[in-house]
Amino acid sequence: MNLKEMLHLADKIVFEKTGQHLDDLQEAVLKATLQHDTYKHVAKDFDCSESRVRNAASQLWQILSEELGEDVNKKNFRSAMERLQISLFSNVIQDNVIQDNVGVGSINICGEGRYPPNTPNSPPQNQETPNTKQPETPYQDLSEMPELGTFYDRTPELQTLTNWILQQHSHLIALTGISGIGKTSLAVQLVQQIKNQFDYIIWRTIDSSHTLDEFQQELIQLFSQSEKLDSPTTKPKPLSLIKYLQKHRCLIILDDVHNLFSSGELAGKYKPEYEEYRHFFKQIEKLSHQSCFLLIGWEQPREISQIESQNNPIRTLQIRGLDIAAAGEILRDYGLAEIDYSILIHRYQGNPLWLKSVATLIQELGFNVTDLLQNDIILLPEDVKDILRQQCDRLSDTEKQILSIIARETQPLKMAKLIDKQPNLNLELVNVLQSLQRRCLLEKIEDSFWLSPLIKQYLLI
């Protein structure tokens, strides 16, 4: 399908639902999507805020998702339209009907079950169907959610998160771990598994434009617009965001929350312009509601404790490396099937990104893996260095001092030894160690502290 055909088909779908054709902004959003352009570029063309473009896109994806019976977003819009065209064409062929202008209206894609007639998933047209109420399609804005790609087993973590969200009704969950460990992939898989348990599910990536006021207004507009679509004859008055969270069962994912926090400070200190998020997260924790926020990032708010409490509506899950079986799949996928990969996995801590980068480097340069394993060589690919640099650039000066000391040690270092080496940090040392642990850069082995081989290698360069 070309761009014009896709826009024409999308226009028919929107008209079936709302009685109105695509407006200029909606059409621009679809064109930008098909041409791999950004919402920021659309906002510039229309001389409006990026938030307004996102809201228009969110409403559009919601309409298309409801009418097509699948989650439609910026990443899969083209494939969704192509699947619909194939489905419509197949039905015409099956029915031996030749029409000059087959359109969405004549196929009735908005009928019961959201399927064209006579598709494998739809009931036969001339047969009565049981009068059972189907669950309502949840409102989903997943336009900022990344594609999942290959997912390597995280069954225990998925079970833990599912239990916290669906059974224990946690209000606020922090999903943390070092870069490349698979936090976002885990969250995407979780969303795919439990998204139909919510009235609303929304994914947002925090960047420099997301002040709390803009973020709240964006969500309030999404909630209010969806209610207008449900009740086109009435004009419900917009509520505060917390009222919507109390009224509806919502799952809201905030990715890259570390962008809320200052560089050069201990972990989790808000930038001045984002300080209001502290009070907002406190509201989410304390007030009664039926929704859940999932925060993903290298750092988390200081007020989110990593110590579990049975009745606490706040939870933290720190993601560790993959086990031998799951990490071994990565190495096999990258052509390293003939080696004893358990040593390699241990050396790179089962970190999916590190393993993929190292496997690629080994393959491209034709290294002898056995020699690498026998000589304890730590390869440090450039893309891994770049990501670690981003994370380490956020450290305070005192954190950098402590990491430098530990990196030069050959054995785990006890706290008393650290005090001897840096007596001027005696009073501050506990907070610095806590911050480094929360950043997942420092490991604790009983009463001593240690660095992973790869991080040590990076710090000693």
Side-chain angles (χ1 to χ4, degrees):
M1 297 177 71
N2 59 35
L3 185 147
K4 185 176 180 180
E5 290 170 335
M6 289 193 186
L7 293 178
H8 181 65
L9 189 53
D11 181 71
K12 283 181 173 288
I13 297 172
V14 172
F15 187 78
E16 286 277 342
K17 173 70 175 179
T18 67
Q20 296 180 335
H21 292 285
L22 290 171
D23 61 31
D24 291 343
L25 182 55
Q26 289 174 322
E27 185 171 313
V29 165
L30 295 183
K31 285 182 179 179
T33 297
L34 294 170
Q35 296 169 347
H36 305 291
D37 211 340
T38 64
Y39 290 155
K40 185 176 292 186
H41 189 269
V42 175
K44 184 177 180 181
D45 286 346
F46 276 75
D47 193 25
C48 66
S49 67
E50 188 176 348
S51 176
R52 181 187 167 195
V53 177
R54 289 181 183 276
N55 287 330
S58 174
Q59 296 160 28
L60 193 53
W61 303 138
Q62 183 64 50
I63 294 170
L64 295 173
S65 296
E66 291 179 1
E67 296 308 297
L68 297 185
E70 64 172 296
D71 174 34
V72 180
N73 55 55
K74 187 176 183 180
K75 295 186 180 295
N76 71 355
F77 170 67
R78 179 184 292 276
S79 58
M81 290 294 99
E82 289 174 345
R83 284 193 297 273
L84 177 60
Q85 185 196 44
I86 292 170
S87 177
L88 298 179
F89 181 74
S90 298
N91 284 312
V92 172
I93 298 300
Q94 290 170 9
D95 294 341
N96 292 314
V97 176
I98 301 176
Q99 298 179 12
D100 290 330
N101 296 298
V102 178
V104 173
S106 64
I107 300 298
N108 185 29
I109 68 164
C110 300
E112 182 69 27
R114 310 290 186 199
Y115 294 101
N118 299 325
T119 59
N121 294 308
S122 65
Q125 284 185 288
N126 297 324
Q127 180 177 326
E128 291 187 6
T129 57
N131 187 23
T132 57
K133 184 179 179 181
Q134 298 296 317
E136 294 184 6
T137 302
Y139 288 95
Q140 300 172 4
D141 182 357
L142 303 177
S143 57
E144 295 185 19
M145 185 175 80
E147 292 283 359
L148 180 59
T150 303
F151 182 73
Y152 299 95
D153 182 44
R154 287 281 192 184
T155 300
E157 293 91 340
L158 285 170
Q159 290 175 341
T160 296
L161 290 171
T162 300
N163 177 55
W164 287 351
I165 295 171
L166 299 185
Q167 275 71 52
Q168 299 188 24
H169 302 288
S170 299
H171 290 177
L172 197 60
I173 298 174
L175 189 57
T176 187
I178 197 166
S179 55
I181 203 69
K183 302 179 293 296
T184 299
S185 294
L186 175 62
V188 173
Q189 179 68 15
L190 175 73
V191 167
Q192 301 294 358
Q193 292 187 188
I194 67 173
K195 62 183 179 182
N196 292 326
Q197 302 294 320
F198 297 88
D199 302 323
Y200 289 82
I201 181 162
I202 300 163
W203 186 295
R204 285 289 179 270
T205 300
I206 298 294
D207 56 33
S208 58
S209 67
H210 277 85
T211 65
L212 179 62
D213 184 61
E214 289 173 335
F215 170 71
Q216 287 184 312
Q217 290 304 316
E218 188 176 321
L219 263 60
I220 288 170
Q221 187 167 353
L222 186 149
F223 286 124
S224 60
Q225 288 292 340
S226 65
E227 289 188 346
K228 288 178 184 177
L229 290 175
D230 282 343
S231 305
T233 58
T234 62
K235 293 184 178 180
K237 182 179 179 181
L239 306 173
S240 65
L241 180 54
I242 195 66
K243 292 294 184 183
Y244 282 115
L245 300 178
Q246 292 170 333
K247 183 178 179 181
H248 303 288
R249 178 96 165 105
C250 307
L251 176 61
I252 299 174
I253 301 96
L254 300 183
D255 201 359
D256 289 348
V257 294
H258 48 262
N259 287 326
L260 297 176
F261 309 118
S262 298
S263 295
E265 303 281 354
L266 297 186
K269 181 177 181 180
Y270 291 93
K271 296 176 182 175
E273 62 268 31
Y274 295 136
E275 185 67 34
E276 290 182 341
Y277 272 95
R278 181 197 306 278
H279 308 294
F280 175 67
F281 290 144
K282 279 293 182 185
Q283 269 194 313
I284 299 303
E285 174 194 359
K286 299 295 184 184
L287 296 181
S288 175
H289 59 85
Q290 52 181 334
S291 298
C292 178
F293 275 69
L294 180 63
L295 311 183
I296 309 170
W298 300 335
E299 299 176 37
Q300 297 295 338
R302 291 179 179 177
E303 56 269 24
I304 298 183
S305 170
Q306 296 195 9
I307 305 300
E308 287 192 18
S309 173
Q310 190 64 35
N311 299 316
N312 194 343
I314 293 182
R315 299 281 185 174
T316 297
L317 181 61
Q318 181 175 328
I319 304 301
R320 307 289 182 178
L322 295 169
D323 60 25
I324 295 294
E329 289 184 37
I330 294 178
L331 297 180
R332 286 193 295 273
D333 289 346
Y334 278 72
L336 300 182
E338 304 302 324
I339 66 170
D340 178 10
Y341 47 71
S342 61
I343 299 175
L344 197 63
I345 292 168
H346 177 73
R347 191 168 294 173
Y348 292 94
Q349 294 190 294
N351 186 303
L353 176 63
W354 296 357
L355 288 172
K356 291 174 184 177
S357 296
V358 168
T360 299
L361 190 59
I362 290 172
Q363 290 286 66
E364 289 181 354
L365 297 182
F367 285 142
N368 186 311
V369 181
T370 303
D371 290 343
L372 293 176
L373 296 178
Q374 290 176 346
N375 294 297
D376 294 331
I377 295 174
I378 302 291
L379 297 177
L380 192 57
E382 284 299 316
D383 55 343
V384 175
K385 285 169 61 177
D386 289 342
I387 293 172
L388 287 175
R389 186 179 298 112
Q390 291 177 38
Q391 194 162 357
C392 289
D393 283 349
R394 301 178 61 84
L395 300 177
S396 66
D397 290 340
T398 50
E399 287 175 301
K400 291 176 182 177
Q401 289 177 35
I402 295 301
L403 284 184
S404 178
I405 291 170
I406 298 175
R408 292 193 294 269
E409 297 293 320
T410 57
Q411 297 294 326
L413 198 61
K414 293 182 181 293
M415 188 166 176
K417 289 287 187 182
L418 273 172
I419 293 174
D420 289 343
K421 290 176 179 293
Q422 282 288 350
N424 59 314
L425 293 178
N426 190 5
L427 297 177
E428 194 179 355
L429 185 59
V430 173
N431 292 329
V432 173
L433 293 173
Q434 181 191 46
S435 178
L436 288 170
Q437 279 192 268
R438 288 192 165 196
R439 296 184 193 273
C440 307
L441 292 169
L442 190 65
E443 297 181 26
K444 194 168 186 296
I445 304 174
E446 296 180 349
D447 60 346
S448 301
F449 298 92
W450 188 239
L451 293 171
S452 74
L454 185 136
I455 293 178
K456 179 183 285 193
Q457 179 83 353
Y458 170 77
L459 293 171
L460 293 175
I461 292 177

